[in-house]
Amino acid sequence: MKTDEDEWRYSAKDLPPAKNKLLYAYRCFMKLFMHAFFGIGSIILAVVIFPIMRIFIHPQKRFKTAARHFVTLTFKMFTGFMRITGVMKMSVDDRETLKNLKSHIVVANHPSKLDVVVLISLIPNADCIVRGSLAKTVLAGVIRQLYIVNSKGTEEMMELSRESLETGTNLIVFPEGTRTPRHGTNAYKRGAAQIALKTGHDVLPIYIGGNDKYGLGKHDKIWSYNKTERYFYDIHVLDEIKISNYSSLESGIAARHLTDDMHKVIAAQAKEIDNREV
């Protein structure tokens, strides 16, 4: 349920009107088409591709690794298709680091529902903490086979994260827990920090910038899109946060400090970009 505060935080009333109504309608239509295309593709992965892969790839850990690489390939093709059709464009300042990343907890801001698709398309072996409600949608078949659902118990989720990271997999977490509002900010939750501290793996912050993601934000209308241009995803790989920096602190204090540091690093990058554009 949307509150009065949500009304302001996620409001798009300050956005300019569409410059070209015909082009705007085309992009809205293509966004809806991509939603349907993505949903159908997820069903095909879950009921056709993955069962075939399971026949030839054993044990379960090897299957998950191979399947995640396959998902990265399909997401790369999906974002490429979006670029070809003029729906989005993307810039990444350090693709090589993401391509070779292993056993890191990747944390990022969360301006749109496409963020996880973009990140997985760039990180070949990526696991993800997924909102429980998504495991009840058409994406359920893929999510339940490959990713960690946050509706599981804390201990089970922690153990699954540890097992995943120990195989060289990278774990994507959005510390806000929900999409970043258009106005104001969300507090960062401590889950990502607690996983990092308990598993002993370093954190890689990423800032997802670019233009306004109207149409992909929380509470946005289905028939909506950025009013003036195609979606632009400007991905910045930030300085790694070493978990050893917090080893001398009590667990609760360490989680608070690490969470604050994640927020500061990502917010500093956002501020730097804003200052460049002024």
Side-chain angles (χ1 to χ4, degrees):
M1 181 177 177
K2 186 159 64 168
T3 65
D4 289 341
E5 184 181 358
D6 283 343
E7 187 71 40
W8 170 76
R9 281 154 49 83
Y10 292 94
S11 172
K13 292 179 181 178
D14 59 328
L15 295 180
K19 288 182 178 179
N20 183 323
K21 291 185 178 180
L22 186 61
L23 184 57
Y24 179 74
Y26 164 75
R27 286 171 173 162
C28 286
F29 170 78
M30 287 305 299
K31 187 196 77 171
L32 294 180
F33 173 79
M34 294 297 176
H35 270 283
F37 183 70
F38 190 86
I40 293 168
S42 297
I43 293 170
I44 292 172
L45 280 176
V47 303
V48 179
I49 305 299
F50 289 169
I52 292 173
M53 292 179 72
R54 282 182 184 277
I55 294 172
F56 299 101
I57 303 174
H58 304 281
Q60 173 76 353
K61 286 183 179 179
R62 283 190 60 219
F63 160 74
K64 281 192 172 183
T65 298
R68 288 188 189 119
H69 278 283
F70 191 83
V71 170
T72 290
L73 178 62
T74 59
F75 282 9
K76 197 183 295 288
M77 292 171 62
F78 181 77
T79 56
F81 184 45
M82 291 185 74
R83 292 197 295 274
I84 290 170
T85 54
V87 178
M88 73 173 287
K89 57 182 177 178
M90 184 163 59
S91 171
V92 185
D93 67 358
D94 191 353
R95 287 179 182 269
E96 202 61 28
T97 291
L98 297 179
K99 182 180 177 181
N100 297 308
L101 198 65
K102 288 186 178 180
S103 297
H104 278 68
I105 295 165
V106 177
V107 297
N109 59 316
H110 194 11
S112 80
K113 64 174 65 176
L114 198 59
D115 300 333
V116 70
V117 176
V118 170
L119 291 182
I120 290 177
S121 76
L122 297 169
I123 303 172
N125 189 13
D127 200 344
C128 186
I129 303 288
V130 181
R131 193 172 73 249
S133 59
L134 287 176
K136 299 175 183 177
T137 67
V138 292
L139 307 179
V142 173
I143 289 171
R144 292 187 180 280
Q145 292 187 68
L146 297 186
Y147 303 115
I148 301 169
V149 181
N150 69 0
S151 57
K152 294 180 181 292
T154 302
E155 290 304 316
E156 183 182 0
M157 197 165 70
M158 200 66 66
E159 185 56 33
L160 289 171
S161 298
R162 186 194 304 279
E163 290 174 3
S164 184
L165 288 159
E166 286 177 354
T167 64
T169 301
N170 300 289
L171 182 64
I172 298 171
V173 186
F174 296 107
E176 292 172 88
T178 188
R179 273 166 272 172
T180 310
R182 192 166 281 106
H183 308 285
T185 60
N186 289 321
Y188 276 32
K189 301 180 187 300
R190 296 184 188 177
Q194 289 169 342
I195 292 171
L197 291 164
K198 289 191 177 182
T199 62
H201 291 278
D202 295 329
V203 176
L204 184 72
I206 290 179
Y207 175 65
I208 302 173
N211 59 6
D212 191 275
K213 306 299 188 297
Y214 179 54
L216 296 175
K218 192 173 182 180
H219 304 305
D220 290 346
K221 296 176 181 177
I222 293 177
W223 184 263
S224 61
Y225 191 92
N226 182 295
K227 296 292 185 73
T228 57
E229 57 187 331
R230 57 183 166 164
Y231 294 128
F232 175 40
Y233 283 80
D234 189 19
I235 311 299
H236 295 264
V237 181
L238 308 178
D239 291 337
E240 183 181 274
I241 301 175
K242 293 290 187 182
I243 203 66
S244 58
N245 295 341
Y246 308 87
S247 59
S248 62
L249 300 175
E250 183 271 327
S251 60
I253 295 172
R256 185 174 74 246
H257 281 288
L258 178 52
T259 301
D260 289 345
D261 288 343
M262 292 176 193
H263 197 177
K264 286 175 184 175
V265 169
I266 292 173
Q269 181 64 37
K271 186 175 181 179
E272 180 184 333
I273 292 173
D274 287 342
N275 290 338
R276 272 189 235 154
E277 293 175 349
V278 171

